[in-house]
Amino acid sequence: MSKIALITGATAGIGEACASLFAQQNYDLILTGRRKDRLDALAERLVSEYGIRVNILTMDVRNKEEVEKLETLSSDWKKVDLLINNAGLSLGMDPINSGSTTDWEVMIDTNIKGLLYVTKVVSNWMIQHGSGHIINIGSIAGKETYLNGNVYCATKHAVDSLNKAMRIDLLPHKIKVTAIHPGAVDTEFSEVRFKGDKDRAKKVYDGYEPLHAQDIAETIWFIASRPAHVNINDLLIMPTAQASTSHLLRE
Ligand code: NDP
Ligand code: 8X3
């Protein structure tokens, strides 16, 4: 029987690249996100290219009731081997005294509370079937704090902390827990952060080669495919041209 992966935020960027790579590796997939049209198109492509089974769930991870709809999946689908907690975003880049409180709430509700809601449901399934692996997508922003990154950095520091907490709490149930913390990855991330300002978003990646979503997907595949006795706890991955959030070699 094929393994099952549940990927949050599969409609773009890192989540979408993971969906394609795990489909290629013959995983059946539960894919979630808010944009149904994108989920439908992705599912259709993966089923036809790889012959896997795909279950899509349109949900906003901020909405606890929508997340709990995961419980309506059949018992077969609840045998999830791998959860990739990927859905997340940054909104705005302003000093703490003038940032938008609405943006702060969206980031906190998505990156922290959403990740917790999904984890609570899926970790219970993993406990029931006695194994599983949770991979949390953190960020270099969860290891460092940079100018005007304030609330986004705080949410990713929370993911770093929750990653450690999950590993401790789920140890008796033999569930692996990993965080992967990327530096700059060229996805829709900056366009979302700068609210559709494509020029400003493009400038983030000017003059150097950023990571691509595929680089992160391949790293996640490496982590997920280690033998049962090996767990990668924490992994920081950066473009070669990036030494820290504020040290970039632009040419
Ligand atoms: P994208 O913007 O390309 O993708 C983000 C994904 O998250 C989309 O599928 C989006 O789906 C989903 N998402 C956002 N908000 C919600 C929500 N409320 N409910 C459900 N799904 C949601 O960005 P990335 O692929 O880059 O981001 C993926 C993760 O990687 C994030 O956690 C991000 O913080 C992290 N990261 C990104 C880095 C980068 O430089 N790009 C670096 C380090 C970490 P939809 O809009 O359809 O709901
Ligand atoms: C995304 C990377 O440096 O823009 O998490 O915060 S950064």
Side-chain angles (χ1 to χ4, degrees), residues 9-15 33-35 59-62 86-89 110-111 137-140 152 156 182-189 192 205:
T11 57
I14 295 169
R34 288 167 300 177
R35 286 169 289 181
M59 69 184 194
D60 185 329
V61 292
R62 290 173 294 171
N86 164 75
L89 81 174
T110 309
N111 299 356
I137 309 300
S139 169
I140 182 64
Y152 178 65
K156 290 298 185 178
V185 191
D186 186 7
T187 61
E188 293 177 11
F189 176 85
V192 171
Y205 311 108

Short mmCIF file of all heavy atoms in Angstrom, two decimals, residues 9-15 33-35 59-62 86-89 110-111 137-140 152 156 182-189 192 205, ligand 1:
data_model
loop_
_atom_site.label_atom_id
_atom_site.label_comp_id
_atom_site.label_asym_id
_atom_site.label_seq_id
_atom_site.Cartn_x
_atom_site.Cartn_y
_atom_site.Cartn_z
N GLY A 9 -1.05 24.07 2.33
CA GLY A 9 -0.51 25.11 1.44
C GLY A 9 0.09 24.53 0.19
O GLY A 9 1.21 24.86 -0.21
N ALA A 10 -0.70 23.65 -0.46
CA ALA A 10 -0.17 22.95 -1.66
C ALA A 10 -0.48 23.71 -2.95
O ALA A 10 -0.16 23.22 -4.03
CB ALA A 10 -0.76 21.54 -1.72
N THR A 11 -1.07 24.89 -2.85
CA THR A 11 -1.50 25.59 -4.08
C THR A 11 -0.37 26.38 -4.73
O THR A 11 -0.56 26.94 -5.81
CB THR A 11 -2.65 26.56 -3.78
OG1 THR A 11 -2.22 27.48 -2.76
CG2 THR A 11 -3.90 25.84 -3.31
N ALA A 12 0.77 26.50 -4.07
CA ALA A 12 1.86 27.33 -4.63
C ALA A 12 3.18 26.92 -3.99
O ALA A 12 3.22 26.18 -3.01
CB ALA A 12 1.58 28.81 -4.33
N GLY A 13 4.26 27.45 -4.57
CA GLY A 13 5.59 27.41 -3.97
C GLY A 13 6.04 26.06 -3.43
O GLY A 13 5.98 25.04 -4.12
N ILE A 14 6.51 26.08 -2.19
CA ILE A 14 7.13 24.89 -1.58
C ILE A 14 6.13 23.74 -1.48
O ILE A 14 6.45 22.58 -1.77
CB ILE A 14 7.71 25.26 -0.20
CG1 ILE A 14 8.86 26.28 -0.35
CG2 ILE A 14 8.15 24.02 0.57
CD1 ILE A 14 9.33 26.92 0.96
N GLY A 15 4.90 24.04 -1.07
CA GLY A 15 3.88 23.00 -0.91
C GLY A 15 3.57 22.31 -2.23
O GLY A 15 3.46 21.07 -2.29
N GLY A 33 -5.42 23.91 0.97
CA GLY A 33 -5.13 25.31 0.65
C GLY A 33 -6.47 26.00 0.52
O GLY A 33 -7.52 25.35 0.60
N ARG A 34 -6.43 27.33 0.30
CA ARG A 34 -7.72 28.05 0.17
C ARG A 34 -8.18 28.10 -1.28
O ARG A 34 -9.37 28.20 -1.55
CB ARG A 34 -7.58 29.48 0.71
CG ARG A 34 -7.47 29.55 2.22
CD ARG A 34 -7.02 30.93 2.66
NE ARG A 34 -5.71 31.23 2.09
CZ ARG A 34 -5.05 32.38 2.25
NH1 ARG A 34 -5.61 33.35 2.95
NH2 ARG A 34 -3.86 32.57 1.70
N ARG A 35 -7.24 28.05 -2.26
CA ARG A 35 -7.63 28.26 -3.66
C ARG A 35 -8.00 26.93 -4.33
O ARG A 35 -7.13 26.18 -4.77
CB ARG A 35 -6.50 28.97 -4.41
CG ARG A 35 -6.42 30.45 -4.02
CD ARG A 35 -5.18 31.11 -4.52
NE ARG A 35 -3.98 30.67 -3.82
CZ ARG A 35 -2.74 31.15 -4.08
NH1 ARG A 35 -2.57 32.06 -5.02
NH2 ARG A 35 -1.71 30.71 -3.39
N MET A 59 -9.43 24.49 2.57
CA MET A 59 -9.64 25.02 3.93
C MET A 59 -8.65 26.12 4.24
O MET A 59 -7.54 26.18 3.71
CB MET A 59 -9.52 23.90 4.97
CG MET A 59 -8.12 23.37 5.12
SD MET A 59 -8.10 21.99 6.27
CE MET A 59 -6.34 21.86 6.56
N ASP A 60 -9.12 27.01 5.12
CA ASP A 60 -8.28 28.09 5.64
C ASP A 60 -7.77 27.59 7.00
O ASP A 60 -8.58 27.33 7.90
CB ASP A 60 -9.15 29.35 5.80
CG ASP A 60 -8.33 30.55 6.23
OD1 ASP A 60 -7.32 30.39 6.94
OD2 ASP A 60 -8.72 31.68 5.85
N VAL A 61 -6.46 27.45 7.13
CA VAL A 61 -5.95 26.84 8.37
C VAL A 61 -6.24 27.70 9.61
O VAL A 61 -6.14 27.23 10.73
CB VAL A 61 -4.43 26.52 8.31
CG1 VAL A 61 -4.13 25.41 7.33
CG2 VAL A 61 -3.59 27.76 8.04
N ARG A 62 -6.62 28.97 9.38
CA ARG A 62 -6.95 29.84 10.53
C ARG A 62 -8.29 29.47 11.14
O ARG A 62 -8.61 29.89 12.25
CB ARG A 62 -7.03 31.31 10.08
CG ARG A 62 -5.69 31.90 9.72
CD ARG A 62 -5.86 33.27 9.12
NE ARG A 62 -6.54 33.23 7.83
CZ ARG A 62 -6.97 34.31 7.17
NH1 ARG A 62 -6.83 35.50 7.68
NH2 ARG A 62 -7.55 34.17 5.99
N ASN A 86 3.19 23.33 6.04
CA ASN A 86 3.86 24.29 5.16
C ASN A 86 3.09 25.61 5.03
O ASN A 86 3.70 26.66 4.84
CB ASN A 86 4.04 23.61 3.79
CG ASN A 86 4.35 24.60 2.69
OD1 ASN A 86 5.47 25.09 2.60
ND2 ASN A 86 3.36 24.92 1.87
N ALA A 87 1.74 25.57 5.12
CA ALA A 87 0.94 26.79 4.89
C ALA A 87 1.45 27.92 5.77
O ALA A 87 1.62 27.74 6.98
CB ALA A 87 -0.53 26.52 5.18
N GLY A 88 1.72 29.05 5.17
CA GLY A 88 2.22 30.17 5.96
C GLY A 88 2.46 31.37 5.08
O GLY A 88 2.43 31.28 3.85
N LEU A 89 2.67 32.50 5.74
CA LEU A 89 2.88 33.73 4.97
C LEU A 89 3.45 34.83 5.84
O LEU A 89 3.42 34.76 7.07
CB LEU A 89 1.55 34.20 4.35
CG LEU A 89 0.55 34.98 5.22
CD1 LEU A 89 -0.61 35.47 4.38
CD2 LEU A 89 0.06 34.21 6.42
N THR A 110 -2.29 32.23 11.08
CA THR A 110 -1.92 31.24 10.05
C THR A 110 -0.70 30.43 10.50
O THR A 110 -0.74 29.19 10.57
CB THR A 110 -1.57 31.94 8.71
OG1 THR A 110 -2.61 32.84 8.36
CG2 THR A 110 -1.35 30.92 7.60
N ASN A 111 0.39 31.15 10.80
CA ASN A 111 1.69 30.48 10.99
C ASN A 111 1.77 29.72 12.31
O ASN A 111 2.49 28.72 12.40
CB ASN A 111 2.83 31.50 10.92
CG ASN A 111 2.89 32.23 9.58
OD1 ASN A 111 2.14 31.92 8.66
ND2 ASN A 111 3.76 33.21 9.47
N ILE A 137 7.60 23.59 8.42
CA ILE A 137 8.39 24.56 7.65
C ILE A 137 8.53 25.83 8.49
O ILE A 137 7.57 26.58 8.67
CB ILE A 137 7.75 24.89 6.28
CG1 ILE A 137 7.41 23.60 5.50
CG2 ILE A 137 8.70 25.78 5.46
CD1 ILE A 137 8.57 22.69 5.17
N GLY A 138 9.74 26.00 9.02
CA GLY A 138 10.05 27.21 9.78
C GLY A 138 10.62 28.24 8.84
O GLY A 138 10.10 28.45 7.74
N SER A 139 11.72 28.86 9.22
CA SER A 139 12.38 29.85 8.37
C SER A 139 13.66 30.31 9.06
O SER A 139 13.78 30.22 10.29
CB SER A 139 11.47 31.07 8.19
OG SER A 139 12.17 32.14 7.58
N ILE A 140 14.58 30.87 8.26
CA ILE A 140 15.71 31.59 8.85
C ILE A 140 15.17 32.70 9.78
O ILE A 140 15.81 33.06 10.76
CB ILE A 140 16.64 32.16 7.73
CG1 ILE A 140 17.86 32.88 8.30
CG2 ILE A 140 15.90 33.09 6.80
CD1 ILE A 140 18.80 32.03 9.07
N TYR A 152 6.50 38.54 11.77
CA TYR A 152 6.78 37.31 10.99
C TYR A 152 7.88 36.50 11.68
O TYR A 152 7.74 35.29 11.87
CB TYR A 152 7.17 37.65 9.54
CG TYR A 152 7.51 36.41 8.74
CD1 TYR A 152 6.52 35.46 8.46
CD2 TYR A 152 8.80 36.17 8.28
CE1 TYR A 152 6.83 34.29 7.75
CE2 TYR A 152 9.12 35.02 7.57
CZ TYR A 152 8.13 34.09 7.30
OH TYR A 152 8.44 32.94 6.60
N LYS A 156 7.76 32.61 13.32
CA LYS A 156 8.65 31.50 12.93
C LYS A 156 9.52 31.05 14.12
O LYS A 156 9.90 29.89 14.19
CB LYS A 156 9.47 31.88 11.70
CG LYS A 156 8.62 31.98 10.43
CD LYS A 156 7.97 30.64 10.06
CE LYS A 156 7.21 30.66 8.75
NZ LYS A 156 6.65 29.35 8.38
N PRO A 182 14.24 27.45 5.76
CA PRO A 182 14.89 27.99 4.56
C PRO A 182 15.21 29.48 4.68
O PRO A 182 14.52 30.23 5.36
CB PRO A 182 13.84 27.77 3.46
CG PRO A 182 12.76 26.92 4.05
CD PRO A 182 12.81 27.17 5.53
N GLY A 183 16.27 29.88 3.94
CA GLY A 183 16.50 31.30 3.65
C GLY A 183 15.62 31.67 2.47
O GLY A 183 14.52 31.12 2.31
N ALA A 184 16.10 32.58 1.61
CA ALA A 184 15.26 33.09 0.53
C ALA A 184 14.92 32.02 -0.51
O ALA A 184 15.82 31.42 -1.11
CB ALA A 184 15.97 34.26 -0.15
N VAL A 185 13.64 31.79 -0.71
CA VAL A 185 13.16 30.85 -1.74
C VAL A 185 12.26 31.64 -2.69
O VAL A 185 11.34 32.34 -2.24
CB VAL A 185 12.32 29.70 -1.12
CG1 VAL A 185 12.08 28.60 -2.15
CG2 VAL A 185 12.96 29.13 0.14
N ASP A 186 12.51 31.51 -3.97
CA ASP A 186 11.74 32.28 -4.95
C ASP A 186 10.39 31.60 -5.21
O ASP A 186 10.29 30.69 -6.03
CB ASP A 186 12.56 32.39 -6.25
CG ASP A 186 11.87 33.28 -7.26
OD1 ASP A 186 10.84 33.90 -6.91
OD2 ASP A 186 12.37 33.37 -8.40
N THR A 187 9.38 32.05 -4.46
CA THR A 187 8.01 31.52 -4.60
C THR A 187 7.08 32.74 -4.68
O THR A 187 7.54 33.84 -4.95
CB THR A 187 7.64 30.68 -3.37
OG1 THR A 187 7.70 31.54 -2.22
CG2 THR A 187 8.59 29.50 -3.16
N GLU A 188 5.82 32.54 -4.35
CA GLU A 188 4.90 33.70 -4.30
C GLU A 188 5.01 34.45 -2.97
O GLU A 188 4.29 35.42 -2.73
CB GLU A 188 3.46 33.21 -4.51
CG GLU A 188 3.24 32.66 -5.91
CD GLU A 188 1.85 32.09 -6.13
OE1 GLU A 188 0.95 32.28 -5.28
OE2 GLU A 188 1.65 31.42 -7.16
N PHE A 189 5.92 33.98 -2.10
CA PHE A 189 6.06 34.52 -0.74
C PHE A 189 6.18 36.05 -0.71
O PHE A 189 5.45 36.73 0.01
CB PHE A 189 7.27 33.86 -0.08
CG PHE A 189 7.60 34.38 1.29
CD1 PHE A 189 6.96 33.88 2.42
CD2 PHE A 189 8.55 35.38 1.47
CE1 PHE A 189 7.26 34.36 3.68
CE2 PHE A 189 8.86 35.87 2.72
CZ PHE A 189 8.22 35.35 3.84
N VAL A 192 3.14 37.97 -1.91
CA VAL A 192 2.11 37.99 -0.85
C VAL A 192 2.51 39.01 0.21
O VAL A 192 1.70 39.85 0.63
CB VAL A 192 1.92 36.57 -0.24
CG1 VAL A 192 1.02 36.62 1.00
CG2 VAL A 192 1.35 35.61 -1.28
N TYR A 205 14.90 39.06 -4.91
CA TYR A 205 15.73 37.98 -5.47
C TYR A 205 16.70 38.48 -6.54
O TYR A 205 17.31 37.69 -7.25
CB TYR A 205 14.82 36.88 -6.05
CG TYR A 205 13.74 36.47 -5.08
CD1 TYR A 205 12.40 36.82 -5.27
CD2 TYR A 205 14.07 35.78 -3.90
CE1 TYR A 205 11.41 36.48 -4.35
CE2 TYR A 205 13.09 35.44 -2.97
CZ TYR A 205 11.77 35.79 -3.21
OH TYR A 205 10.81 35.47 -2.29
P1 NDP B 1 3.76 30.73 -1.29
O1 NDP B 1 3.10 32.05 -1.07
O2 NDP B 1 4.24 30.41 -2.66
O3 NDP B 1 2.83 29.56 -0.76
C1 NDP B 1 2.17 29.66 0.47
C2 NDP B 1 1.14 28.57 0.61
O4 NDP B 1 0.49 28.71 1.90
C3 NDP B 1 0.04 28.67 -0.45
O5 NDP B 1 -0.26 27.37 -0.91
C4 NDP B 1 -1.15 29.23 0.32
O6 NDP B 1 -2.36 28.70 -0.22
C5 NDP B 1 -0.91 28.66 1.72
N1 NDP B 1 -1.61 29.46 2.73
C6 NDP B 1 -1.35 30.72 3.12
N2 NDP B 1 -2.26 31.12 4.02
C7 NDP B 1 -3.12 30.07 4.20
C8 NDP B 1 -4.27 29.87 4.99
N3 NDP B 1 -4.76 30.83 5.81
N4 NDP B 1 -4.91 28.69 4.93
C9 NDP B 1 -4.44 27.72 4.13
N5 NDP B 1 -3.37 27.84 3.35
C10 NDP B 1 -2.71 29.01 3.38
O7 NDP B 1 5.00 30.73 -0.27
P2 NDP B 1 6.10 29.61 0.09
O8 NDP B 1 5.88 28.38 -0.67
O9 NDP B 1 7.40 30.28 0.04
O10 NDP B 1 5.74 29.40 1.63
C11 NDP B 1 5.57 28.13 2.21
C12 NDP B 1 6.12 28.17 3.63
O11 NDP B 1 7.53 28.40 3.58
C13 NDP B 1 5.55 29.26 4.52
O12 NDP B 1 5.31 28.74 5.81
C14 NDP B 1 6.67 30.31 4.55
O13 NDP B 1 6.63 31.08 5.72
C15 NDP B 1 7.88 29.40 4.51
N6 NDP B 1 9.13 30.00 4.09
C16 NDP B 1 9.25 30.62 2.87
C17 NDP B 1 10.46 31.18 2.49
C18 NDP B 1 10.62 31.93 1.22
O14 NDP B 1 11.62 32.67 1.10
N7 NDP B 1 9.76 31.76 0.25
C19 NDP B 1 11.63 31.05 3.36
C20 NDP B 1 11.39 30.40 4.61
C21 NDP B 1 10.20 29.88 4.93
P3 NDP B 1 -3.71 29.53 -0.46
O15 NDP B 1 -3.32 30.97 -0.68
O16 NDP B 1 -4.33 28.87 -1.65
O17 NDP B 1 -4.49 29.31 0.79
#
